[in-house]
Amino acid sequence: MNAFTPAELEYLDSQPLMRFATASPSGKPDVAPVIFEVDDDDILTSGFDITRTVRYRNIESNPRATLVIDDLASVDPWSPRGVKIIGAAAIEQTPRGPRFRITPDVVISWGINDTTPGIPKMERRVVGDRPDS
């Protein structure tokens, strides 16, 4: 099963930023707006000297993350849309430096697969090996 529907992939490709949430081993949350790209079923993100970020330290000790990519398709009528991804996060070393790879366990989307104006229904899919996510 693919993690994302064709409509979700098109939406993700159209968005420049996501919010990347992590937590320390003790549960202290952190969230940061970051650029991203889709790589098959995974989300990749890096940045300038990420080894000095809170999210880097969090992922080293607690490799779970939640991502949110969202916007408003319209304000009249009110039509929010977005994708929330819950999954495993890994730090990868590349020739350009370290980056994060987030592999979805759960994908929640709204206002993308069903574009009926108004408050959209949320769609939740388990796509990974952790149905308890």
Side-chain angles (χ1 to χ4, degrees), residues 73-122:
S74 169
V75 294
D76 189 18
W78 187 258
S79 298
R81 61 185 178 175
V83 177
K84 179 178 179 179
I85 300 157
I86 303 166
I91 299 167
E92 296 181 335
Q93 299 301 325
T94 73
R96 297 175 65 191
R99 70 180 179 191
F100 300 104
R101 177 177 296 273
I102 300 89
T103 301
D105 293 326
V106 175
V107 174
I108 301 166
S109 69
W110 57 96
I112 295 173
N113 297 310
D114 177 1
T115 58
T116 305
I119 303 299
K121 181 183 120 184
M122 296 186 98

Side-chain angles (χ1 to χ4, degrees), residues 7-129:
E8 290 165 351
L9 285 171
E10 183 178 337
Y11 175 75
L12 292 171
D13 286 341
S14 75
Q15 298 300 304
L17 293 174
M18 72 175 181
R19 284 173 285 291
F20 184 4
T22 62
S24 70
S26 66
K28 183 176 180 185
D30 178 71
V31 66
V34 298
I35 61 170
F36 72 99
E37 64 184 274
V38 179
D39 182 42
D40 291 322
D41 284 345
D42 294 340
I43 302 293
L44 300 176
T45 184
S46 58
F48 179 73
D49 201 6
I50 64 169
T51 61
R52 301 180 76 148
T53 65
V54 171
R55 63 189 173 280
Y56 189 91
R57 290 188 303 277
N58 285 351
I59 295 300
E60 282 185 308
S61 57
N62 181 4
R64 303 290 299 155
T66 298
L67 316 174
V68 175
I69 304 96
D70 66 333
D71 70 351
L72 290 171
S74 169
V75 294
D76 189 18
W78 187 258
S79 298
R81 61 185 178 175
V83 177
K84 179 178 179 179
I85 300 157
I86 303 166
I91 299 167
E92 296 181 335
Q93 299 301 325
T94 73
R96 297 175 65 191
R99 70 180 179 191
F100 300 104
R101 177 177 296 273
I102 300 89
T103 301
D105 293 326
V106 175
V107 174
I108 301 166
S109 69
W110 57 96
I112 295 173
N113 297 310
D114 177 1
T115 58
T116 305
I119 303 299
K121 181 183 120 184
M122 296 186 98
E123 302 172 34
R124 182 183 192 277
R125 293 186 309 282
V126 175
V127 296
D129 296 331

